Amino acid sequence: MTPEQYAAMEPDKVLRIMQIIAFALIAGVLSFAGIAGFLVFGNAPAARPGGQPPAAVGGSEIVMYMAMGFAAVAVVMSFVVPNLISAAGVKGVAKLAQDGTSTGPKELFGRLLGVAQTKMIIAMALVEGAAFFNLIAFIITKSLIPPGVVAGLLGVMAIHFPTKIKLARWLEEQQQNLGA
């Protein structure tokens, strides 16, 4: 983006875009959960050639445990990684301010909005990946544990959902850090 494009960014518009992205990530998980539910509960298992019953998937529980472990790691990482990345982004904005290479405070504010958007996308994408993995484990194992994990992951995604208050607080903190 050009400095002029950053300067033209408005918090309400950026927030709306962030909310659309967040909703799309959540909707993707819910859509795939519906497909997974249909696959597990809606279809009778297909017979193998010769009319033999379908073979049980041996060792599929390990996939479920891996998915659960991945979910736990993803939840923690969804709070750690975005903060590390946004800290680097804010340092970049601070460098622009110190060097005097920005076109002014509006550009710097726009760049902070971009950092906030990136932070939210990373946080939610980490959790979304874990949710998809658990839904795949659900399809493979047909256990009801992975959908429960997915429900928890959707709750974490709701925590990361951008609101006007959260964005305003984050921007205020970053502007104070830039001023210090």
Side-chain angles (χ1 to χ4, degrees):
M1 289 179 65
T2 66
E4 293 78 21
Q5 289 172 320
Y6 279 114
M9 292 175 75
E10 297 176 25
D12 288 339
K13 289 181 181 177
V14 172
L15 175 63
R16 188 70 182 141
I17 291 167
M18 290 170 67
Q19 289 173 334
I20 289 168
I21 293 168
F23 180 74
L25 292 170
I26 292 169
V29 171
L30 291 173
S31 296
F32 189 58
I35 292 166
F38 175 77
L39 289 173
V40 170
F41 300 120
N43 286 339
R48 294 189 322 191
Q52 298 174 358
V57 181
S60 62
E61 293 80 21
I62 190 72
V63 173
M64 180 178 69
Y65 297 127
M66 288 173 54
M68 291 167 58
F70 187 78
V73 170
V75 167
V76 172
M77 297 305 282
S78 77
F79 290 98
V80 174
V81 172
N83 288 328
L84 295 173
I85 291 173
S86 69
V90 171
K91 282 182 184 176
V93 174
K95 186 169 177 14
L96 285 174
Q98 290 171 353
D99 295 347
T101 54
S102 72
T103 59
K106 284 188 175 185
E107 177 194 348
L108 297 174
F109 187 73
R111 288 183 183 273
L112 284 178
L113 287 169
V115 171
Q117 186 174 20
T118 301
K119 179 181 186 261
M120 183 273 309
I121 291 170
I122 292 169
M124 292 195 71
L126 286 166
V127 180
E128 180 195 36
F132 283 136
F133 189 8
N134 274 275
L135 289 169
I136 291 167
F138 172 52
I139 292 169
I140 293 170
T141 64
K142 298 179 180 23
S143 168
L144 294 178
I145 294 171
V149 172
V150 171
L153 292 171
L154 286 167
V156 173
M157 290 178 86
I159 290 169
H160 288 300
F161 194 86
T163 64
K164 191 170 190 168
I165 293 172
K166 286 181 190 178
L167 180 60
R169 284 183 187 161
W170 186 85
L171 288 168
E172 185 178 327
E173 287 173 16
Q174 303 318 309
Q175 287 177 317
Q176 288 174 356
N177 291 342
L178 289 176

